């Protein structure tokens, strides 16, 4: 925009270089020409706090007033601007960074400031950006610019006087010397010195020069560095708005604008510091003390007054009380405790991780830059140094008395357990109001009034509120206290005249949003323990549920016992098994020596080949079975079992008759939710258990069935046959101490082994690529809405084979919404137009299989194509009421039409398309070659042994296609780490097998989809960056309409109190339910025309457990019964216009619950599935502190909330990301100090997984090679982008 002059003096601030003796008159003349160009765009004006009155933080009105104008404020406005719009203030240009062109901050709002950057280095107005760019490009000093605008007084006064005037004009306020010894006290004190002022305590201890930048801020001006050859520069750390890691004493670089100005003046021999002090003294009351905008007048102290000072924030205070209230602020706490000053070489460690470890997959870690473990020894050492730096800063703050009362409380005490108590000897306390209260109005207020009597006449020294919340503001109230105080001296509450020393303390809370908030008020009488009272307010709910305490999941709550089996016990069977099942179990049993051999092969990582395929698959299953059995062996418990003829259902808490069978209910001594590894196995892999009474009468153990559907995390129900009850002498209502050992269901592994052996030809899963051939690609016979990649896949599936050569299985990989299901469905419809064809479509979940029927085949068949009527096969134990009416029309039903059955061979021959899940496909019992095409969807989510179940019906002539997305849910394994489980899917193994194959045909057997058809661009962008670890995949417009005035991502902060349901097996959060209903009503009643006709079925609420049931009930009461409410497990394959996610848990419930895997907090693949179901709007309702501080998904949640804050789509609207980070830090620190058990629980959550954080922002170079599928997707995307660029 502006030319740069040829001569430049580098590395200087530019305050004192613009005069004719240094730059020359030619340069100054050129600068005046440039100034004329600037003034052709802007009107410029210089004012002060007298003549320039602020309308807001950046807009001023200028008035003509006869006064001596210091001219410290530069104002500008665009040419032609209406006078009533005011002038824009031009702040001093930031030191760092130094772009060629400055821009207005897109997140800046008048009156609210910048919502994202802290500090913000963008301009607050276009006028300010133009001036900054002019100064930067042309090296124009601000003082020269202001002097030219203010008629050149800059060049007309003597040099020494001009130096002082320039500093005054630019910075205002006044300069003062303070006592050095007082300043080094704890806490630091500010004692003004002067010609007639001396420190009453330190007569001659030296002085420090300070600049009173405002009434509430002092800036220390250190001595100029003595090295004459040193170029004066700004400290690059401080210029970024962070504290210097060297400390003010040791750093040789300027820490402020005024310090640099004084140093430059001293270096030019045109200023002596006494001149500043003398000028201040001579000015009397004329010297200014400016606030942010320069408002207000003041003068140096006329007497030796002493004030306290915060070194961390450079703020003085008039009393200890004011200082301690400042130390309680979030800003001060973050500045003291959160290390942010050093210019480190490596990435920062994740906040909340207390122990640093070295990642065992440094070179191939799939998390790249966001792994919570160090990726090199240097990074580990730097992290340790960072922790030491933080500790040093906290120690320094403690040394200087800058810790909040709560922190000082624990620093001063050697034993934290003795710090606090609800009862203190000789002290009585009474509160006229209940300590726990409920308020229905979210804007309500409440007060508690405490009366304290000190019988021993010990004075109350300190009163402090120890916790802070974003949804409610607690404060102390007293006759002499300003509003908003978290700390006060005890004398402020003294009531004089009473016979016993009495104090009246009032606590006030102002609620802002729905939630549950607790507060601890501490009364310090000068000795331990401190008297503490706990307050609680519940907002937006009528009743106050109580979280039931549960123990931390550890091995101590389970027993170490000898593992029972048929070789060391006499097992009395009770589970009926067919002869075929008994034969199957006997066939796939191995000795311990064989198992050890298989484990050694697994650790050797021998590649799978055509020759060893079956052996390797069997070996893997044996190792996995042993891993599960060892884990289940830890479920050895002793329970007091009660015999009953009725069984309780966990879903409703109701009891039902057991139809003549006897049940034993036993309480598990520790919580085993389905989210834990043990709880997960108990719910899905355990069907039987061995039980004996205590004491055991003999060597017999009884095999009994475990009622999985009635077993909860705290109780287990066992089905005892009549002869077992008789042998144990038990009758209905009897109670007996029993020893229980759970057993995994070996039949599952037996069926997987059987699937491996029944595979007709290994070449269908390990194809010999050089001996294979591609099909002849034929275009679809009808107009299909597909892109080029999808048509290519359909042609591959429908094309005819050349000769007898095998066609390799096709792999279709694509992120969410790229049309994988759409492609397979239309491919099946194209295939059945050919003679002698029959298609088998297999999915991992029933919900995904139903999508094929409901959204594709039903629509096609009812549109005049009866020949395409499909058959939906469901397992006989599937829940009938969970299937939609449309899908039921195509299912095999029992004679009474109330349950499912498997089809006969005749029925299978009648239908051209069969849709079934992979695990149920082994019940079809058809010969190999029965299906001409086998299409497997969700292939990345299933184990290879599950995927090959339907492939038992394949021959070399069967056309096979697999589609999947490995970044979503992957198989859960216990013999390998979570991050390696994806390698044991057929989809991933074939993908890597094709990539390693050098034959050119291998590259044509896999097709990458990258065009999204489901979701708006904003959601796609967020998901790619946070789950697929890249932002360089080109995002093509999907055509899905966004909300016209609302950003597609939305977060609603609710801090409720989760409670257990009646069965104690699941959690509810009533506050979230209230908020979810509000959001549903808001979207449905305000349905925008771009989304078509209002449709409740296009709104989906996602949660888990009893929260789903309660949401359905509450929505039904609001006439919103058609809104879809689903458990997260039923979301794959579905899509909705609006998705609202209720995360249920808060920080408190996470710490009290024994679960180690909470899906929305620690399962990124599942979170990926849920988020990608939304087409136009994704709303998350939850506790942001819990989301941002716990589990492997916390960085994803931080990024999500950051994005919603940037776009202003967060509720309540007052939230800022700074508040989120500070709240997370403070609450983690609070939990570690005041609740050691919860702190241990938190550490357990962190250490449970090798990679405790899953997040985004990884560069493409960093994950290159770690994930071959993602890398190929990126390569394909780059090729597409290059092709578009060339065109």
């Amino acid at each position: 925009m502006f030319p740069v002059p040829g001569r430049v003096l580098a590395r200087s601030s530019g305050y004192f270089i613009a005069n004719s003796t240094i730059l020359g008159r030619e340069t100054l003349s050129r600068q005046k020409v440039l100034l004329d160009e600037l003034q052709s765009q802007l009107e410029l004006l210089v004012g002060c706090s007298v003549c320039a009155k602020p309308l807001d933080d950046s807009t001023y009105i200028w008035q003509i007033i006869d006064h001596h104008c210091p001219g410290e404020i530069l104002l500008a406005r665009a040419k032609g601007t209406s006078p009533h719009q005011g002038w824009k203030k031009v702040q001093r240009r930031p030191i760092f960074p130094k772009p060629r062109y400055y821009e207005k901050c897109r997140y800046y709002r008048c009156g609210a400031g910048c919502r994202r950057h802290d500090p913000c280095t963008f301009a607050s107005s276009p006028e300010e950006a133009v001036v900054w760019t002019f100064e930067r490009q042309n090296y124009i000093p601000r003082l020269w610019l202001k002097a030219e605008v203010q008629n050149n007084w800059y060049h007309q006064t003597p040099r020494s006087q001009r130096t002082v005037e320039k500093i005054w004009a630019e910075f205002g306020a006044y300069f003062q010397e303070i006592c050095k010894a007082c300043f080094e006290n704890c806490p630091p004190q500010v004692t003004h010195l002067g010609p007639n002022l001396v420190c009453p305590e330190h007569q001659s201890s030296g002085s420090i020069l300070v600049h009173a930048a405002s009434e509430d801020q002092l800036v220390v001006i250190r001595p100029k560095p003595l090295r004459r050859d040193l170029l004066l520069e700004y400290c690059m750390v401080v210029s970024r708005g962070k504290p210097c890691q060297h400390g003010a004493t040791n750093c040789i670089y300027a820490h402020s604008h005024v310090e640099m100005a004084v140093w430059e003046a001293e270096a030019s021999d045109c200023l002596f510091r006494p001149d500043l002090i003398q000028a201040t003294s001579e000015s009397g009351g004329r010297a200014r003390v400016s606030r942010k905008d320069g408002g207000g007048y003041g003068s140096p102290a006329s007497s030796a007054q002493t004030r306290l000072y915060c070194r961390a924030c450079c703020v003085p205070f008039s009393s200890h009380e004011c200082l301690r209230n400042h130390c309680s602020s979030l800003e001060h706490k973050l500045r003291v405790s959160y290390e942010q000053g050093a210019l480190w070489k490596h990435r920062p460690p994740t906040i909340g991780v207390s122990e640093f470890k070295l990642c065992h997959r440094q070179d191939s870690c799939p998390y790249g830059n966001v792994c919570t473990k160090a990726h090199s020894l240097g990074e580990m050492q730097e992290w340790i140094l960072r922790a030491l730096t933080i500790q040093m800063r906290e120690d320094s703050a403690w040394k200087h008395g800058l810790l909040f009362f709560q922190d000082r409380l624990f620093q001063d005490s050697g034993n934290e357990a003795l710090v606090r108590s609800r009862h203190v000897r000789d002290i009585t306390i009474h509160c006229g109001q209940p300590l726990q209260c409920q308020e229905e109005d979210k804007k309500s207020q409440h007060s508690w009034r405490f009366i304290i009597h000190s019988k021993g006449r010990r004075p109350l020294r300190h009163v402090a509120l120890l916790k802070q919340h974003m949804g409610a503001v607690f404060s102390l109230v007293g006759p002499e206290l300003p509003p908003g105080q978290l700390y006060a001296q005890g004398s402020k509450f003294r009531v004089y005249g009473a016979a016993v020393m009495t104090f009246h303390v009032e606590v006030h809370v102002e609620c802002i949003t729905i939630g549950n908030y607790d507060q601890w008020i501490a009364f310090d009488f000068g000795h331990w323990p401190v008297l503490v009272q706990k307050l609680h307010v519940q907002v937006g709910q009528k009743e106050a549920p109580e979280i039931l305490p549960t123990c931390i999941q550890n091995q101590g709550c389970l027993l170490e016992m000898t593992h029972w089996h048929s070789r060391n016990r006499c097992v009395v069977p009770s589970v009926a098994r067919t002869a075929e099942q008994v034969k199957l179990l006997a066939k796939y049993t191995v000795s311990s020596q064989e198992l050890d051999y298989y484990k050694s092969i697994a650790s050797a990582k021998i590649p799978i080949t055509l020759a060893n395929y079956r052996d390797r698959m069997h070996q893997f299953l044996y190792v996995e079975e042993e891993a599960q059995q060892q884990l289940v062996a830890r479920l050895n418990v002793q329970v007091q079992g009660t015999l009953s003829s009725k069984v309780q259902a966990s879903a409703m808490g109701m009891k039902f008759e057991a139809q003549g069978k006897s049940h034993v209910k036993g309480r598990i001594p520790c919580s085993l939710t389905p989210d834990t590894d043990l709880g997960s196995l108990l719910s899905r892999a355990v069907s039987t258990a061995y039980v004996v009474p205590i004491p055991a009468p003999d060597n017999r153990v009884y095999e009994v069935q475990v009622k999985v559907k009635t077993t909860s995390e705290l109780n287990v129900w066992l089905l005892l046959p009549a002869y077992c009850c008789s042998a144990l002498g038990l009758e209905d209502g009897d109670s007996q101490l029993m020893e229980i050992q759970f057993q995994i269901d070996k039949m599952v592994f037996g069926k997987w082994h059987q699937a491996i052996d029944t595979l007709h030809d290994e070449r269908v899963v390990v194809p010999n690529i050089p001996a294979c051939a591609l099909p002849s690609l034929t275009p679809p016979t009808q107009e299909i809405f597909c892109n080029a990649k999808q048509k290519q896949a359909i042609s591959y599936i429908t094309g005819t084979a050349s000769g007898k050569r095998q066609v390799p299985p096709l792999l279709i990989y694509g992120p969410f919404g790229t049309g994988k299901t759409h492609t397979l469905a239309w491919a099946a419809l194209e295939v059945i137009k050919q003679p002698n064809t029959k298609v088998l479509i297999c999915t991992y979940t029933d919900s995904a299989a139903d999508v094929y029927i409901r959204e594709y085949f039903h629509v096609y068949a009812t549109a005049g194509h009866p020949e395409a009527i499909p058959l939906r096969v469901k397992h006989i134990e599937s829940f009938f009421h969970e299937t939609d009416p449309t899908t039921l029309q195509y299912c095999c039903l029992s004679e009474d039409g109330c349950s499912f059955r498997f089809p006969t061979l005749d029925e299978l021959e009648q239908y051209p398309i069969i849709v079934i899940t992979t695990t149920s496909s082994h019940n079809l019992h058809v010969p190999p070659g029965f299906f001409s095409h086998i299409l497997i969807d969700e292939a990345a989510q299933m184990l290879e042994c599950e995927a090959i179940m339907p492939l038992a019906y394949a021959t070399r002539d069967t056309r096979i296609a697999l589609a999947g997305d490995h970044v979503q849910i992957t198989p859960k394994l216990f013999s390998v780490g979570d991050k390696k489980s994806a390698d044991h899917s057929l989809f991933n193994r074939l993908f890597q097998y094709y990539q390693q194959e050098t034959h050119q045909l291998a590259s044509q057997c896999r097709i990458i989809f990258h065009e999204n058809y489901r979701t708006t661009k904003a959601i796609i962008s967020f998901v790619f960056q946070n789950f697929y670890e890249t932002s360089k995949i080109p995002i093509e417009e999907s055509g899905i309409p966004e909300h016209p005035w609302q950003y597609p991502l939305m977060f609603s902060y609710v801090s409720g109190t989760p409670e257990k349901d009646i069965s104690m097996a699941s959690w509810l959060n009533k506050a979230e339910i209230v908020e979810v209903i509000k959001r549903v009503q808001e979207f449905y009643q305000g349905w925008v025309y771009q989304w078509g006709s209002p449709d409740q079925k296009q709104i989906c609420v996602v949660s888990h457990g009893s929260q789903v049931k309660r949401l359905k009930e509450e929505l039904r009461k609001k006439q919103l019964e058609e809104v879809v409410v689903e458990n997260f497990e039923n979301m794959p394959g579905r899509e909705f216009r609006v998705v609202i996610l209720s995360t249920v848990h808060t920080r408190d419930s996470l710490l009290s619950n024994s679960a180690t895997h909470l899906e929305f907090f620690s399962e990124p693949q599942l979170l990926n599935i849920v988020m990608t179901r939304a087409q136009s709007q994704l709303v998350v309702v939850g506790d942001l502190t819990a989301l941002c501080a716990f589990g492997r998904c916390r960085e994803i949640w931080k990024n999500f909330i950051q994005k919603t804050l940037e776009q202003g789509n967060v509720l309540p609207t007052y939230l800022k990301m700074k508040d989120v980070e500070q709240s997370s830090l403070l609450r983690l620190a609070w939990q570690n100090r005041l609740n050691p058990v919860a702190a241990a629980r938190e550490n357990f959550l962190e250490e449970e997984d090798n990679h405790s954080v899953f997040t985004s922002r990884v560069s493409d170079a960093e994950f290159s090679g770690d994930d071959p599928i993602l890398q190929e997707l990126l390569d394909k995307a780059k090729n597409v982008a290059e092709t578009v660029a060339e065109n």
Side-chain angles (χ1 to χ4, degrees), residues 1079-1136:
R1079 301 281 77 80
V1080 170
Q1081 291 174 327
E1082 175 185 292
F1083 282 108
Y1084 183 65
Q1085 294 172 4
W1087 196 270
V1088 295
Y1089 74 90
Q1090 291 90 341
W1091 294 351
S1093 301
D1095 187 359
Q1096 292 186 14
K1097 296 178 182 179
Q1098 282 298 306
I1099 302 176
C1100 178
V1101 180
V1102 186
S1103 192
H1104 57 76
S1106 296
Q1107 186 85 344
V1108 172
K1109 178 176 177 294
R1110 184 64 63 87
L1111 280 165
K1112 289 181 178 179
E1113 294 173 355
E1114 296 301 322
L1115 286 169
R1116 192 178 298 114
K1117 295 176 183 178
K1118 304 292 184 180
Q1119 286 75 49
L1120 296 169
E1121 61 277 354
E1122 292 189 3
V1123 172
V1124 180
V1125 184
E1126 282 288 3
N1127 192 297
F1128 59 82
E1129 297 173 344
N1130 298 326
M1131 293 303 290
R1134 310 181 71 175
E1135 57 187 51
F1136 301 90

Side-chain angles (χ1 to χ4, degrees), residues 366 966-967 988 995 1029 1263-1272:
H966 78 299
V967 179
N988 279 32
Q995 281 193 322
E1029 304 178 350
F1263 78 81
S1264 176
D1266 297 339
D1267 192 327
I1269 300 180
L1270 279 179
Q1271 184 58 50
E1272 182 156 340

Side-chain angles (χ1 to χ4, degrees), residues 529-546:
V530 170
L531 179 62
V532 173
Q533 296 293 298
K534 185 176 181 180
L535 310 177
H536 180 86
V537 58
Q538 183 171 341
V539 184
Q541 303 176 44
K542 294 183 180 180
E543 64 272 6
E546 180 180 356

Side-chain angles (χ1 to χ4, degrees), residues 498-532:
V500 180
M501 186 175 288
T502 304
F503 303 88
H504 289 181
V505 180
E506 182 178 347
V507 179
H508 181 75
V509 62
E510 182 177 351
C511 304
I512 301 174
T513 186
I514 295 174
N516 292 270
Y517 309 99
D518 56 340
Q519 180 60 265
W520 290 39
I521 177 171
F523 305 93
D524 185 3
F525 290 87
H527 64 89
W528 309 120
V530 170
L531 179 62
V532 173

Side-chain angles (χ1 to χ4, degrees), residues 550-553 671-677 713 1067 1145 1149-1159 1162 1241 1244-1245 1248:
T550 57
C551 69
I552 297 176
Q553 174 61 45
S671 180
L672 295 175
T673 67
D675 313 288
T676 62
D677 286 345
E713 63 181 272
W1067 290 82
H1145 283 288
S1149 66
L1150 287 173
L1151 291 173
S1152 66
N1153 186 9
S1154 63
T1156 57
H1157 285 290
L1158 296 167
E1159 293 82 0
S1162 292
R1241 163 72 180 152
F1244 176 76
L1245 285 172
E1248 182 274 336

Side-chain angles (χ1 to χ4, degrees), residues 122-314:
F122 290 88
S124 61
S125 65
E127 291 86 351
E128 188 174 60
V130 171
V131 174
W132 284 3
T133 302
F134 171 77
E135 293 176 331
R136 168 72 177 91
Q137 291 188 346
N138 301 287
Y139 295 84
I140 301 295
R142 174 61 62 84
L143 288 176
W144 180 90
L145 177 60
K146 291 165 66 175
E148 291 298 320
V149 175
Q150 207 175 16
N151 298 324
N152 288 321
W153 62 265
Y154 180 88
H155 305 293
Q156 298 170 1
T157 55
R159 188 179 184 186
S160 60
Q161 181 182 353
R162 186 167 68 241
T163 301
V164 175
E165 290 289 338
K166 283 188 283 189
I167 295 177
W168 270 32
E170 180 63 17
F171 300 103
Y174 65 86
F175 293 85
Q176 180 75 47
E177 286 184 328
I178 63 174
C179 176
K180 182 178 180 182
C182 291
F183 194 72
E184 294 174 351
N185 276 349
C186 175
Q189 298 176 350
V190 178
T191 303
H192 293 280
L193 303 179
N196 300 319
L197 298 177
V198 294
C199 178
E201 295 185 20
H202 314 96
Q203 300 297 324
S204 58
S205 62
S207 63
I208 297 175
L209 179 65
V210 297
H211 174 245
S214 67
E215 292 179 356
D216 56 0
Q217 185 177 14
L218 290 179
V219 177
V220 176
I221 302 176
R222 300 165 297 155
K224 184 178 70 69
L226 298 178
R227 289 173 51 187
R228 300 188 63 84
D229 61 335
L230 180 69
L231 290 172
L232 299 178
E233 294 182 293
Y234 285 99
C235 176
M236 296 306 295
V237 178
V238 176
S239 67
R240 288 171 167 83
K242 301 176 180 179
C244 179
Q245 73 271 27
H246 300 296
T249 305
N250 300 321
C251 185
I252 60 175
Y253 301 103
H255 283 185
S256 64
H257 286 288
V258 65
E259 186 172 64
M260 174 63 84
V262 172
W263 283 5
E264 284 190 346
E266 290 177 321
S268 303
D269 296 327
C270 57
L271 176 68
F272 298 96
R273 295 197 175 199
D275 295 340
L276 289 171
I277 307 300
Q278 180 181 359
T280 299
S281 301
E282 293 175 353
S283 66
R286 188 171 59 86
R288 289 189 61 253
V289 180
S290 63
R291 295 181 179 272
K292 292 180 181 179
D293 55 64
Y297 277 88
S299 63
S302 58
S303 60
Q305 299 175 349
T306 300
R307 295 193 294 172
L308 302 174
Y309 182 77
C310 174
R311 287 179 180 270
C313 307
C314 302

Side-chain angles (χ1 to χ4, degrees), residues 442-692:
K442 68 178 182 179
K443 298 293 185 180
S444 60
Q445 301 183 25
H446 191 81
S447 295
W448 295 267
R449 296 172 181 85
F450 293 90
I451 301 176
I452 303 104
H453 297 291
S454 177
K455 297 179 181 179
R457 301 198 64 81
R458 288 179 295 181
L460 178 61
R461 299 182 182 275
H462 311 282
V463 180
L465 299 175
L466 303 185
K467 302 187 73 173
Q468 298 177 60
H469 300 275
M470 285 179 289
V473 179
F474 288 84
S475 60
L476 296 172
V477 179
E480 300 180 5
L481 291 180
Q485 300 295 289
L486 297 177
Y487 167 86
Q489 295 179 351
S491 59
K492 297 289 182 69
F493 305 99
R494 175 76 181 271
V495 178
Y496 293 93
V500 180
M501 186 175 288
T502 304
F503 303 88
H504 289 181
V505 180
E506 182 178 347
V507 179
H508 181 75
V509 62
E510 182 177 351
C511 304
I512 301 174
T513 186
I514 295 174
N516 292 270
Y517 309 99
D518 56 340
Q519 180 60 265
W520 290 39
I521 177 171
F523 305 93
D524 185 3
F525 290 87
H527 64 89
W528 309 120
V530 170
L531 179 62
V532 173
Q533 296 293 298
K534 185 176 181 180
L535 310 177
H536 180 86
V537 58
Q538 183 171 341
V539 184
Q541 303 176 44
K542 294 183 180 180
E543 64 272 6
E546 180 180 356
I547 297 178
L548 299 180
T550 57
C551 69
I552 297 176
Q553 174 61 45
N554 56 49
Q555 298 188 17
C557 68
L558 301 171
L559 302 178
E560 292 289 340
M561 296 187 294
T562 302
H563 178 58
W564 299 333
H565 48 77
S566 59
R567 294 184 294 276
N568 61 10
R569 291 290 188 276
C570 177
V571 179
V572 181
S574 66
V575 179
R577 295 185 178 91
T578 64
E580 182 181 356
Q581 289 176 328
V582 173
K583 183 179 180 181
L584 192 66
L585 291 176
K587 180 178 180 180
Y588 299 109
T589 303
V590 295
S591 65
S592 58
Q593 292 81 4
E594 290 176 305
L595 187 61
D596 292 338
Y597 172 69
Y598 296 155
K599 289 180 180 179
S600 65
I601 293 179
S603 61
K605 299 181 180 179
I606 299 174
I608 293 177
T609 63
L610 184 64
N612 68 8
Y613 178 78
R614 294 184 196 267
D615 290 338
R616 288 297 310 280
M617 289 293 104
H618 284 304
Q619 291 162 7
F620 163 72
L621 288 179
Y622 287 132
V623 173
E624 175 64 19
E625 181 181 356
E626 174 64 15
Q628 291 191 19
Q629 185 60 61
Q630 288 181 355
L631 191 61
V632 170
R634 294 166 50 192
L635 287 173
N636 301 331
V637 294
Q638 289 183 355
V639 301
Q640 191 72 30
T642 302
L643 194 69
S644 174
S645 60
K646 296 182 178 181
V647 62
Q648 181 174 350
S650 62
M652 298 291 294
M654 301 175 63
K655 292 186 176 181
F656 301 92
E657 289 289 342
Q659 298 179 352
K661 300 178 182 178
S662 298
H663 291 76
V664 168
K665 174 186 176 183
R667 185 174 180 84
I668 302 175
C670 62
S671 180
L672 295 175
T673 67
D675 313 288
T676 62
D677 286 345
L678 291 175
S680 173
L681 282 177
L682 182 61
S683 63
R684 70 180 181 90
V686 171
S687 60
T688 61
Y690 294 158
V691 300
V692 295

